[in-house]
Amino acid sequence: MATILDGKLTSAKVKEEVAAKIAAACADGRTPPCLAVVIVGDNPASKVYVANKKKACEAVGIRSLSYELPGETSQEELLALVDRLNADAAVNGILVQLPLPGHIDEQTVIERISPAKDVDAFHPSNVGRIMLGLDGFAPCTPAGIMRLLAEYGISAAGKNCVVVGRSNIVGKPMALLLLKANGTVSVCHSKTADLASHTKQADILVVAIGRAKFITADMVADGAVIVDVGMNRVDGKLCGDVDFEPCAQKASYITPVPGGVGPMTIAMLMENTFRAWENAQR
Ligand code: GUN
């Protein structure tokens, strides 16, 4: 039976570290970091994520501003809000929750956010820095996964790392961080032929495809480290992209859903917001 990679516990530790850094940095009376969170429409999953992000802000001493816009908000109105937040020196981080309604072009909105306030690290100039292995904002979910692995002493160096999913939010930046950590990285996706032949080679398998219980035990190697980024709702219950119980029998380490990757994403967002604030102090 695999050891559980406990994202709840590890994220609490990261958040405590951020809280301590904020308390120390603001001991002289400086205004603490401020994160603006924007949500458009009423996607139920997005609402839960945003509520959790705001709760985390409160816990670590980050001020959060909430903008809950109706689903009919035009792209121009949203861009005007981003412009206002970009110009507001009191705002250190801007997070526009994705997905956006279909009539709004996500990339246009992402590119409008000032790279210095882009705590998601979605702006092309921040993505470029990640690609080049330069310092900058960490992409929250992949960075949270790297932090979780490190916490359990798991190194990617020299390992076969297989990422299933090639999204801009998870799969692609995940591959880059594993590569930076000296892993040998493959990226699989919906057009990959014979997916199982790849996943079975993985020492570290990261799955982010958004299909419930898609990775079955016959697709994983004995002793693999399995990281499940999936957040699927099946019959009202949250479940990952990995068929947990049978895969946990074969794996050496595995993340649960919930309580694995999700809390780590939020912890890294707190860290990025603190970093944006620190940069703004200079
Ligand atoms: N939607 C799903 N994950 C994320 C995330 O990390 N950031 C934002 N802004 N939207 C998301």
Side-chain angles (χ1 to χ4, degrees), residues 40-73:
V40 185
D42 46 19
N43 179 316
S46 290
K47 281 185 153 177
V48 174
Y49 298 149
V50 163
N52 288 338
K53 287 169 185 177
K54 287 195 293 199
K55 214 160 73 183
C57 283
E58 229 168 84
V60 302
I62 291 174
R63 210 155 57 89
S64 75
L65 302 174
S66 237
Y67 297 86
E68 290 166 22
L69 309 180
E72 317 76 72
T73 302

PDB file of all heavy atoms in Angstrom, residues 40-73:
ATOM      1  N   VAL A  40     -16.053  35.434 -13.118  1.00  0.00           N
ATOM      2  CA  VAL A  40     -17.120  35.863 -14.027  1.00  0.00           C
ATOM      3  C   VAL A  40     -18.100  34.696 -14.201  1.00  0.00           C
ATOM      4  O   VAL A  40     -17.697  33.602 -14.603  1.00  0.00           O
ATOM      5  CB  VAL A  40     -16.558  36.280 -15.409  1.00  0.00           C
ATOM      6  CG1 VAL A  40     -17.677  36.830 -16.287  1.00  0.00           C
ATOM      7  CG2 VAL A  40     -15.439  37.302 -15.260  1.00  0.00           C
ATOM      8  N   GLY A  41     -19.368  34.947 -13.880  1.00  0.00           N
ATOM      9  CA  GLY A  41     -20.391  33.908 -14.022  1.00  0.00           C
ATOM     10  C   GLY A  41     -20.471  33.045 -12.784  1.00  0.00           C
ATOM     11  O   GLY A  41     -19.828  33.330 -11.764  1.00  0.00           O
ATOM     12  N   ASP A  42     -21.267  31.964 -12.877  1.00  0.00           N
ATOM     13  CA  ASP A  42     -21.451  31.170 -11.654  1.00  0.00           C
ATOM     14  C   ASP A  42     -21.163  29.685 -11.854  1.00  0.00           C
ATOM     15  O   ASP A  42     -21.953  28.836 -11.484  1.00  0.00           O
ATOM     16  CB  ASP A  42     -22.815  31.418 -11.009  1.00  0.00           C
ATOM     17  CG  ASP A  42     -23.925  31.377 -12.024  1.00  0.00           C
ATOM     18  OD1 ASP A  42     -23.667  30.795 -13.112  1.00  0.00           O
ATOM     19  OD2 ASP A  42     -25.009  31.894 -11.784  1.00  0.00           O
ATOM     20  N   ASN A  43     -20.004  29.418 -12.430  1.00  0.00           N
ATOM     21  CA  ASN A  43     -19.499  28.047 -12.490  1.00  0.00           C
ATOM     22  C   ASN A  43     -19.321  27.542 -11.043  1.00  0.00           C
ATOM     23  O   ASN A  43     -18.548  28.112 -10.280  1.00  0.00           O
ATOM     24  CB  ASN A  43     -18.159  28.067 -13.249  1.00  0.00           C
ATOM     25  CG  ASN A  43     -17.526  26.695 -13.355  1.00  0.00           C
ATOM     26  OD1 ASN A  43     -17.495  25.943 -12.394  1.00  0.00           O
ATOM     27  ND2 ASN A  43     -17.014  26.386 -14.530  1.00  0.00           N
ATOM     28  N   PRO A  44     -20.056  26.491 -10.647  1.00  0.00           N
ATOM     29  CA  PRO A  44     -20.030  26.068  -9.244  1.00  0.00           C
ATOM     30  C   PRO A  44     -18.634  25.664  -8.769  1.00  0.00           C
ATOM     31  O   PRO A  44     -18.241  25.995  -7.643  1.00  0.00           O
ATOM     32  CB  PRO A  44     -20.985  24.865  -9.196  1.00  0.00           C
ATOM     33  CG  PRO A  44     -21.690  24.823 -10.502  1.00  0.00           C
ATOM     34  CD  PRO A  44     -20.944  25.661 -11.487  1.00  0.00           C
ATOM     35  N   ALA A  45     -17.871  24.949  -9.618  1.00  0.00           N
ATOM     36  CA  ALA A  45     -16.522  24.530  -9.209  1.00  0.00           C
ATOM     37  C   ALA A  45     -15.646  25.759  -8.985  1.00  0.00           C
ATOM     38  O   ALA A  45     -14.931  25.852  -7.977  1.00  0.00           O
ATOM     39  CB  ALA A  45     -15.909  23.618 -10.258  1.00  0.00           C
ATOM     40  N   SER A  46     -15.726  26.728  -9.920  1.00  0.00           N
ATOM     41  CA  SER A  46     -14.922  27.948  -9.785  1.00  0.00           C
ATOM     42  C   SER A  46     -15.256  28.681  -8.495  1.00  0.00           C
ATOM     43  O   SER A  46     -14.374  29.225  -7.829  1.00  0.00           O
ATOM     44  CB  SER A  46     -15.169  28.889 -10.971  1.00  0.00           C
ATOM     45  OG  SER A  46     -14.607  28.356 -12.137  1.00  0.00           O
ATOM     46  N   LYS A  47     -16.537  28.689  -8.139  1.00  0.00           N
ATOM     47  CA  LYS A  47     -16.947  29.388  -6.913  1.00  0.00           C
ATOM     48  C   LYS A  47     -16.306  28.753  -5.689  1.00  0.00           C
ATOM     49  O   LYS A  47     -15.869  29.458  -4.768  1.00  0.00           O
ATOM     50  CB  LYS A  47     -18.478  29.364  -6.777  1.00  0.00           C
ATOM     51  CG  LYS A  47     -19.157  30.395  -7.654  1.00  0.00           C
ATOM     52  CD  LYS A  47     -20.637  30.386  -7.383  1.00  0.00           C
ATOM     53  CE  LYS A  47     -21.257  31.734  -7.670  1.00  0.00           C
ATOM     54  NZ  LYS A  47     -22.710  31.688  -7.458  1.00  0.00           N
ATOM     55  N   VAL A  48     -16.239  27.424  -5.673  1.00  0.00           N
ATOM     56  CA  VAL A  48     -15.613  26.724  -4.550  1.00  0.00           C
ATOM     57  C   VAL A  48     -14.120  27.054  -4.504  1.00  0.00           C
ATOM     58  O   VAL A  48     -13.575  27.384  -3.438  1.00  0.00           O
ATOM     59  CB  VAL A  48     -15.827  25.188  -4.658  1.00  0.00           C
ATOM     60  CG1 VAL A  48     -15.041  24.456  -3.572  1.00  0.00           C
ATOM     61  CG2 VAL A  48     -17.304  24.847  -4.569  1.00  0.00           C
ATOM     62  N   TYR A  49     -13.449  26.995  -5.674  1.00  0.00           N
ATOM     63  CA  TYR A  49     -12.004  27.294  -5.710  1.00  0.00           C
ATOM     64  C   TYR A  49     -11.734  28.701  -5.196  1.00  0.00           C
ATOM     65  O   TYR A  49     -10.829  28.931  -4.399  1.00  0.00           O
ATOM     66  CB  TYR A  49     -11.436  27.187  -7.136  1.00  0.00           C
ATOM     67  CG  TYR A  49     -11.540  25.822  -7.775  1.00  0.00           C
ATOM     68  CD1 TYR A  49     -11.683  25.684  -9.155  1.00  0.00           C
ATOM     69  CD2 TYR A  49     -11.477  24.658  -7.019  1.00  0.00           C
ATOM     70  CE1 TYR A  49     -11.765  24.432  -9.756  1.00  0.00           C
ATOM     71  CE2 TYR A  49     -11.566  23.410  -7.611  1.00  0.00           C
ATOM     72  CZ  TYR A  49     -11.721  23.306  -8.979  1.00  0.00           C
ATOM     73  OH  TYR A  49     -11.808  22.077  -9.570  1.00  0.00           O
ATOM     74  N   VAL A  50     -12.541  29.656  -5.676  1.00  0.00           N
ATOM     75  CA  VAL A  50     -12.335  31.055  -5.301  1.00  0.00           C
ATOM     76  C   VAL A  50     -12.579  31.250  -3.802  1.00  0.00           C
ATOM     77  O   VAL A  50     -11.818  31.951  -3.127  1.00  0.00           O
ATOM     78  CB  VAL A  50     -13.235  31.971  -6.175  1.00  0.00           C
ATOM     79  CG1 VAL A  50     -13.379  33.347  -5.565  1.00  0.00           C
ATOM     80  CG2 VAL A  50     -12.658  32.068  -7.584  1.00  0.00           C
ATOM     81  N   ALA A  51     -13.616  30.593  -3.285  1.00  0.00           N
ATOM     82  CA  ALA A  51     -13.897  30.703  -1.840  1.00  0.00           C
ATOM     83  C   ALA A  51     -12.708  30.160  -1.044  1.00  0.00           C
ATOM     84  O   ALA A  51     -12.297  30.751  -0.026  1.00  0.00           O
ATOM     85  CB  ALA A  51     -15.177  29.937  -1.487  1.00  0.00           C
ATOM     86  N   ASN A  52     -12.129  29.049  -1.508  1.00  0.00           N
ATOM     87  CA  ASN A  52     -10.971  28.466  -0.807  1.00  0.00           C
ATOM     88  C   ASN A  52      -9.756  29.385  -0.883  1.00  0.00           C
ATOM     89  O   ASN A  52      -8.983  29.487   0.072  1.00  0.00           O
ATOM     90  CB  ASN A  52     -10.622  27.091  -1.396  1.00  0.00           C
ATOM     91  CG  ASN A  52     -11.653  26.043  -1.010  1.00  0.00           C
ATOM     92  OD1 ASN A  52     -12.381  26.196  -0.017  1.00  0.00           O
ATOM     93  ND2 ASN A  52     -11.748  24.979  -1.785  1.00  0.00           N
ATOM     94  N   LYS A  53      -9.589  30.049  -2.023  1.00  0.00           N
ATOM     95  CA  LYS A  53      -8.451  30.968  -2.165  1.00  0.00           C
ATOM     96  C   LYS A  53      -8.613  32.144  -1.199  1.00  0.00           C
ATOM     97  O   LYS A  53      -7.649  32.571  -0.551  1.00  0.00           O
ATOM     98  CB  LYS A  53      -8.348  31.458  -3.626  1.00  0.00           C
ATOM     99  CG  LYS A  53      -7.836  30.374  -4.570  1.00  0.00           C
ATOM    100  CD  LYS A  53      -7.974  30.712  -6.055  1.00  0.00           C
ATOM    101  CE  LYS A  53      -7.540  29.505  -6.900  1.00  0.00           C
ATOM    102  NZ  LYS A  53      -7.686  29.697  -8.346  1.00  0.00           N
ATOM    103  N   LYS A  54      -9.828  32.657  -1.088  1.00  0.00           N
ATOM    104  CA  LYS A  54     -10.063  33.794  -0.188  1.00  0.00           C
ATOM    105  C   LYS A  54      -9.843  33.393   1.271  1.00  0.00           C
ATOM    106  O   LYS A  54      -9.284  34.151   2.072  1.00  0.00           O
ATOM    107  CB  LYS A  54     -11.483  34.340  -0.392  1.00  0.00           C
ATOM    108  CG  LYS A  54     -11.598  35.109  -1.713  1.00  0.00           C
ATOM    109  CD  LYS A  54     -12.847  35.959  -1.798  1.00  0.00           C
ATOM    110  CE  LYS A  54     -14.102  35.147  -1.843  1.00  0.00           C
ATOM    111  NZ  LYS A  54     -15.271  35.884  -2.350  1.00  0.00           N
ATOM    112  N   LYS A  55     -10.288  32.175   1.598  1.00  0.00           N
ATOM    113  CA  LYS A  55     -10.110  31.671   2.968  1.00  0.00           C
ATOM    114  C   LYS A  55      -8.620  31.561   3.307  1.00  0.00           C
ATOM    115  O   LYS A  55      -8.183  31.925   4.401  1.00  0.00           O
ATOM    116  CB  LYS A  55     -10.778  30.289   3.084  1.00  0.00           C
ATOM    117  CG  LYS A  55     -11.374  30.016   4.433  1.00  0.00           C
ATOM    118  CD  LYS A  55     -12.401  28.916   4.394  1.00  0.00           C
ATOM    119  CE  LYS A  55     -11.753  27.549   4.210  1.00  0.00           C
ATOM    120  NZ  LYS A  55     -12.700  26.448   4.085  1.00  0.00           N
ATOM    121  N   ALA A  56      -7.846  31.073   2.342  1.00  0.00           N
ATOM    122  CA  ALA A  56      -6.398  30.928   2.558  1.00  0.00           C
ATOM    123  C   ALA A  56      -5.750  32.294   2.767  1.00  0.00           C
ATOM    124  O   ALA A  56      -4.878  32.449   3.631  1.00  0.00           O
ATOM    125  CB  ALA A  56      -5.759  30.203   1.380  1.00  0.00           C
ATOM    126  N   CYS A  57      -6.190  33.288   1.992  1.00  0.00           N
ATOM    127  CA  CYS A  57      -5.665  34.647   2.145  1.00  0.00           C
ATOM    128  C   CYS A  57      -5.848  35.119   3.576  1.00  0.00           C
ATOM    129  O   CYS A  57      -4.918  35.611   4.220  1.00  0.00           O
ATOM    130  CB  CYS A  57      -6.398  35.628   1.214  1.00  0.00           C
ATOM    131  SG  CYS A  57      -5.869  35.535  -0.499  1.00  0.00           S
ATOM    132  N   GLU A  58      -7.062  34.953   4.069  1.00  0.00           N
ATOM    133  CA  GLU A  58      -7.380  35.383   5.431  1.00  0.00           C
ATOM    134  C   GLU A  58      -6.465  34.701   6.440  1.00  0.00           C
ATOM    135  O   GLU A  58      -5.939  35.336   7.365  1.00  0.00           O
ATOM    136  CB  GLU A  58      -8.825  34.973   5.740  1.00  0.00           C
ATOM    137  CG  GLU A  58      -9.671  36.066   6.316  1.00  0.00           C
ATOM    138  CD  GLU A  58     -11.124  35.628   6.288  1.00  0.00           C
ATOM    139  OE1 GLU A  58     -11.521  34.920   7.224  1.00  0.00           O
ATOM    140  OE2 GLU A  58     -11.827  35.953   5.297  1.00  0.00           O
ATOM    141  N   ALA A  59      -6.240  33.402   6.229  1.00  0.00           N
ATOM    142  CA  ALA A  59      -5.451  32.617   7.189  1.00  0.00           C
ATOM    143  C   ALA A  59      -3.992  33.068   7.250  1.00  0.00           C
ATOM    144  O   ALA A  59      -3.367  32.946   8.291  1.00  0.00           O
ATOM    145  CB  ALA A  59      -5.530  31.134   6.834  1.00  0.00           C
ATOM    146  N   VAL A  60      -3.448  33.552   6.119  1.00  0.00           N
ATOM    147  CA  VAL A  60      -2.013  33.898   6.125  1.00  0.00           C
ATOM    148  C   VAL A  60      -1.760  35.405   6.287  1.00  0.00           C
ATOM    149  O   VAL A  60      -0.617  35.825   6.349  1.00  0.00           O
ATOM    150  CB  VAL A  60      -1.281  33.397   4.855  1.00  0.00           C
ATOM    151  CG1 VAL A  60      -1.418  31.900   4.706  1.00  0.00           C
ATOM    152  CG2 VAL A  60      -1.749  34.119   3.610  1.00  0.00           C
ATOM    153  N   GLY A  61      -2.827  36.201   6.313  1.00  0.00           N
ATOM    154  CA  GLY A  61      -2.639  37.641   6.485  1.00  0.00           C
ATOM    155  C   GLY A  61      -2.536  38.407   5.178  1.00  0.00           C
ATOM    156  O   GLY A  61      -1.944  39.490   5.129  1.00  0.00           O
ATOM    157  N   ILE A  62      -3.119  37.843   4.111  1.00  0.00           N
ATOM    158  CA  ILE A  62      -3.200  38.572   2.834  1.00  0.00           C
ATOM    159  C   ILE A  62      -4.604  39.160   2.739  1.00  0.00           C
ATOM    160  O   ILE A  62      -5.596  38.472   3.021  1.00  0.00           O
ATOM    161  CB  ILE A  62      -2.923  37.616   1.641  1.00  0.00           C
ATOM    162  CG1 ILE A  62      -1.453  37.167   1.639  1.00  0.00           C
ATOM    163  CG2 ILE A  62      -3.304  38.265   0.309  1.00  0.00           C
ATOM    164  CD1 ILE A  62      -1.115  36.114   0.600  1.00  0.00           C
ATOM    165  N   ARG A  63      -4.670  40.432   2.342  1.00  0.00           N
ATOM    166  CA  ARG A  63      -5.974  41.060   2.158  1.00  0.00           C
ATOM    167  C   ARG A  63      -6.501  40.576   0.817  1.00  0.00           C
ATOM    168  O   ARG A  63      -5.749  40.551  -0.164  1.00  0.00           O
ATOM    169  CB  ARG A  63      -5.785  42.575   2.122  1.00  0.00           C
ATOM    170  CG  ARG A  63      -6.946  43.387   2.634  1.00  0.00           C
ATOM    171  CD  ARG A  63      -6.448  44.734   3.111  1.00  0.00           C
ATOM    172  NE  ARG A  63      -5.736  45.436   2.047  1.00  0.00           N
ATOM    173  CZ  ARG A  63      -6.318  46.244   1.153  1.00  0.00           C
ATOM    174  NH1 ARG A  63      -7.621  46.440   1.184  1.00  0.00           N
ATOM    175  NH2 ARG A  63      -5.582  46.863   0.251  1.00  0.00           N
ATOM    176  N   SER A  64      -7.776  40.165   0.734  1.00  0.00           N
ATOM    177  CA  SER A  64      -8.293  39.776  -0.577  1.00  0.00           C
ATOM    178  C   SER A  64      -9.461  40.665  -0.973  1.00  0.00           C
ATOM    179  O   SER A  64     -10.293  41.034  -0.149  1.00  0.00           O
ATOM    180  CB  SER A  64      -8.687  38.297  -0.597  1.00  0.00           C
ATOM    181  OG  SER A  64      -9.887  38.081   0.082  1.00  0.00           O
ATOM    182  N   LEU A  65      -9.456  41.049  -2.249  1.00  0.00           N
ATOM    183  CA  LEU A  65     -10.549  41.825  -2.815  1.00  0.00           C
ATOM    184  C   LEU A  65     -11.284  40.910  -3.782  1.00  0.00           C
ATOM    185  O   LEU A  65     -10.655  40.221  -4.578  1.00  0.00           O
ATOM    186  CB  LEU A  65     -10.011  43.033  -3.602  1.00  0.00           C
ATOM    187  CG  LEU A  65      -9.142  44.018  -2.831  1.00  0.00           C
ATOM    188  CD1 LEU A  65      -8.582  45.064  -3.801  1.00  0.00           C
ATOM    189  CD2 LEU A  65      -9.955  44.686  -1.735  1.00  0.00           C
ATOM    190  N   SER A  66     -12.605  40.920  -3.703  1.00  0.00           N
ATOM    191  CA  SER A  66     -13.402  39.994  -4.496  1.00  0.00           C
ATOM    192  C   SER A  66     -14.198  40.730  -5.557  1.00  0.00           C
ATOM    193  O   SER A  66     -14.866  41.714  -5.235  1.00  0.00           O
ATOM    194  CB  SER A  66     -14.406  39.367  -3.543  1.00  0.00           C
ATOM    195  OG  SER A  66     -14.269  38.017  -3.559  1.00  0.00           O
ATOM    196  N   TYR A  67     -14.118  40.275  -6.784  1.00  0.00           N
ATOM    197  CA  TYR A  67     -14.933  40.852  -7.859  1.00  0.00           C
ATOM    198  C   TYR A  67     -15.734  39.726  -8.472  1.00  0.00           C
ATOM    199  O   TYR A  67     -15.198  38.895  -9.204  1.00  0.00           O
ATOM    200  CB  TYR A  67     -14.048  41.533  -8.901  1.00  0.00           C
ATOM    201  CG  TYR A  67     -13.280  42.693  -8.314  1.00  0.00           C
ATOM    202  CD1 TYR A  67     -12.064  42.484  -7.682  1.00  0.00           C
ATOM    203  CD2 TYR A  67     -13.799  43.987  -8.344  1.00  0.00           C
ATOM    204  CE1 TYR A  67     -11.365  43.526  -7.100  1.00  0.00           C
ATOM    205  CE2 TYR A  67     -13.117  45.038  -7.770  1.00  0.00           C
ATOM    206  CZ  TYR A  67     -11.899  44.804  -7.143  1.00  0.00           C
ATOM    207  OH  TYR A  67     -11.216  45.837  -6.566  1.00  0.00           O
ATOM    208  N   GLU A  68     -17.030  39.683  -8.129  1.00  0.00           N
ATOM    209  CA  GLU A  68     -17.891  38.631  -8.654  1.00  0.00           C
ATOM    210  C   GLU A  68     -18.763  39.245  -9.719  1.00  0.00           C
ATOM    211  O   GLU A  68     -19.712  39.970  -9.431  1.00  0.00           O
ATOM    212  CB  GLU A  68     -18.707  38.018  -7.517  1.00  0.00           C
ATOM    213  CG  GLU A  68     -17.809  37.211  -6.588  1.00  0.00           C
ATOM    214  CD  GLU A  68     -18.438  36.838  -5.265  1.00  0.00           C
ATOM    215  OE1 GLU A  68     -19.671  36.813  -5.172  1.00  0.00           O
ATOM    216  OE2 GLU A  68     -17.671  36.586  -4.310  1.00  0.00           O
ATOM    217  N   LEU A  69     -18.407  38.993 -10.987  1.00  0.00           N
ATOM    218  CA  LEU A  69     -19.089  39.650 -12.099  1.00  0.00           C
ATOM    219  C   LEU A  69     -20.113  38.704 -12.717  1.00  0.00           C
ATOM    220  O   LEU A  69     -19.892  37.488 -12.761  1.00  0.00           O
ATOM    221  CB  LEU A  69     -18.075  40.078 -13.168  1.00  0.00           C
ATOM    222  CG  LEU A  69     -16.863  40.888 -12.681  1.00  0.00           C
ATOM    223  CD1 LEU A  69     -15.945  41.228 -13.852  1.00  0.00           C
ATOM    224  CD2 LEU A  69     -17.308  42.158 -11.973  1.00  0.00           C
ATOM    225  N   PRO A  70     -21.228  39.267 -13.218  1.00  0.00           N
ATOM    226  CA  PRO A  70     -22.233  38.410 -13.842  1.00  0.00           C
ATOM    227  C   PRO A  70     -21.706  37.760 -15.128  1.00  0.00           C
ATOM    228  O   PRO A  70     -20.789  38.286 -15.772  1.00  0.00           O
ATOM    229  CB  PRO A  70     -23.381  39.375 -14.151  1.00  0.00           C
ATOM    230  CG  PRO A  70     -22.811  40.746 -14.056  1.00  0.00           C
ATOM    231  CD  PRO A  70     -21.604  40.681 -13.175  1.00  0.00           C
ATOM    232  N   GLY A  71     -22.293  36.625 -15.475  1.00  0.00           N
ATOM    233  CA  GLY A  71     -21.879  35.864 -16.652  1.00  0.00           C
ATOM    234  C   GLY A  71     -21.962  36.656 -17.946  1.00  0.00           C
ATOM    235  O   GLY A  71     -21.267  36.352 -18.920  1.00  0.00           O
ATOM    236  N   GLU A  72     -22.807  37.694 -17.977  1.00  0.00           N
ATOM    237  CA  GLU A  72     -22.982  38.481 -19.216  1.00  0.00           C
ATOM    238  C   GLU A  72     -21.933  39.583 -19.337  1.00  0.00           C
ATOM    239  O   GLU A  72     -21.928  40.322 -20.334  1.00  0.00           O
ATOM    240  CB  GLU A  72     -24.355  39.167 -19.294  1.00  0.00           C
ATOM    241  CG  GLU A  72     -25.565  38.380 -18.882  1.00  0.00           C
ATOM    242  CD  GLU A  72     -25.708  38.244 -17.368  1.00  0.00           C
ATOM    243  OE1 GLU A  72     -26.033  39.242 -16.692  1.00  0.00           O
ATOM    244  OE2 GLU A  72     -25.476  37.117 -16.875  1.00  0.00           O
ATOM    245  N   THR A  73     -21.063  39.726 -18.357  1.00  0.00           N
ATOM    246  CA  THR A  73     -20.018  40.762 -18.419  1.00  0.00           C
ATOM    247  C   THR A  73     -19.297  40.696 -19.761  1.00  0.00           C
ATOM    248  O   THR A  73     -18.938  39.611 -20.218  1.00  0.00           O
ATOM    249  CB  THR A  73     -19.006  40.545 -17.267  1.00  0.00           C
ATOM    250  OG1 THR A  73     -19.717  40.586 -16.046  1.00  0.00           O
ATOM    251  CG2 THR A  73     -17.913  41.599 -17.278  1.00  0.00           C
TER     252      THR A  73
END
